Amino acid sequence: MTETIVVKCGGNAAVNAEAVCSDVARLSGRGRRVVLVHGGSADIERLASRLGVESRRLTAPDGISTRHTDSSMLEVVQLALAGLAKPRLVALLNRRGTRAVGLTGLDGGLLRARRKSALRAIVAGRPTIVRDNHTGKITSVDTELVEGLLDGGCLPVISPPALAEDGRPVNTDADRAAAAVAGALKADVLVLLTGAPGVLADPADDSSLLDVCEVPVNGPPPHRGGGMGLKLIAAREALQQGCDRVVIADGGAASPVTAALAGRGTDVVVASSRAASGAWEMAG
């Protein structure tokens, strides 16, 4: 059976989008079924600055940080991902002979989510309930839509936002979106590309790269520095939902996906094979 690979391309400057697209195009051209999921943190920050929208982070009680998506920032996220990041990636892939098709989670109801009515966060050192946050947790992926594109020889390029139960868009973490897609497709591999070589025991020391990172069935992941917390949560969710393998690897490498598949990066495994009733959620 043809191997299915889901690749998440991070949106920071350390990830080489041209190298990622060249590698993805090669793999697709060799008969692999590849889905590219992307974020766009750098584009979001630049556009927010240009539009005068304040960019804020929320830190959960366990120390994991996420973007505060109020109504203005939700507009910025949609503009940046669908209007800047996605067309750039689709163009790079199409120039390499790949039939790339760009989709947000809103298109065809591809990604559906449960809106989070409130988030627990630490603000000015005090526990706070944040309610003006338009985020959600993905509950389903339209695999028929994705499979149809793959069967037609296309390469889906997917990003948030997702469609909430009230019919309105909600932002969702791109790593977790990639995990949901990989789990729903029962992908062979999910490759999470980032600005680091993989999971580092010491975020300031690239030589502390872990070959394997074990995460608990639920609860906070063991490494949270350098933005790795959400990536490890996403990796766990993908594995628990049916993806065979998850690798966190360097998005700045010459052939980043091929290198990750060959073992350059960190393989994530779940500590116990016991079925979890549901992955731990950072917020309610």
Side-chain angles (χ1 to χ4, degrees):
M1 186 174 179
T2 304
E3 185 177 31
T4 299
I5 303 168
V6 176
V7 177
K8 192 271 178 171
C9 179
N12 65 60
V15 175
N16 187 338
E18 292 213 15
V20 172
C21 289
S22 292
D23 207 11
V24 162
R26 277 194 299 270
L27 291 167
S28 178
R30 293 170 183 167
R32 310 281 187 94
R33 290 159 60 89
V34 185
V35 178
L36 182 63
V37 181
H38 71 89
S41 55
D43 286 314
I44 291 169
E45 295 299 324
R46 282 194 296 268
L47 185 59
S49 177
R50 286 169 55 191
L51 296 177
V53 175
E54 183 181 4
S55 181
R56 293 179 287 167
R57 305 289 297 181
L58 292 177
T59 301
D62 58 17
I64 293 178
S65 173
T66 59
R67 184 181 303 282
H68 183 193
T69 309
D70 60 12
S71 58
S72 295
M73 182 54 73
L74 180 60
E75 291 181 350
V76 171
V77 167
Q78 293 183 84
L79 287 168
L81 296 184
L84 296 172
K86 191 183 311 299
R88 184 186 309 123
L89 293 170
V90 169
L92 285 171
L93 288 165
N94 285 333
R95 286 207 299 268
R96 288 159 174 80
T98 301
R99 295 177 64 201
V101 176
L103 301 164
T104 72
L106 303 178
D107 294 305
L110 173 59
L111 302 178
R112 294 189 178 269
R114 185 187 77 246
R115 181 181 293 275
K116 294 180 180 180
S117 58
L119 294 176
R120 295 185 296 276
I122 304 298
V123 178
R126 302 179 60 183
T128 304
I129 300 298
V130 179
R131 300 189 185 279
D132 65 333
N133 199 52
H134 297 276
T135 60
K137 177 177 172 55
I138 294 175
T139 55
S140 67
V141 177
D142 187 344
T143 55
E144 184 176 347
L145 176 54
V146 180
E147 294 278 6
L149 289 169
L150 291 170
D151 290 344
C154 297
L155 193 155
V157 180
I158 300 170
S159 73
L163 188 67
E165 62 271 48
D166 58 10
R168 294 183 294 168
V170 287
N171 192 20
T172 186
D173 177 72
D175 289 309
R176 297 179 84 175
V181 171
L185 292 175
K186 310 302 178 192
D188 296 276
V189 190
L190 166 62
V191 177
L192 298 173
L193 295 174
T194 183
V199 181
L200 304 176
D202 176 358
D205 181 6
D206 285 0
S207 69
S208 68
L209 176 67
L210 302 176
D211 292 330
V212 177
C213 179
E214 188 177 83
V215 295
V217 174
N218 46 48
H223 301 280
R224 282 165 275 178
M228 198 56 66
L230 275 176
K231 285 181 170 42
L232 288 174
I233 292 169
R236 174 171 61 198
E237 289 173 349
L239 293 166
Q240 290 175 333
Q241 292 166 18
C243 180
D244 286 344
R245 180 189 177 200
V246 179
V247 185
I248 299 177
D250 185 2
S255 298
V257 182
T258 298
L261 296 175
R264 284 184 56 189
T266 302
D267 275 85
V268 182
V269 297
V270 179
S272 171
S273 60
R274 291 175 299 164
S277 59
W280 169 80
E281 285 196 46
M282 179 183 59

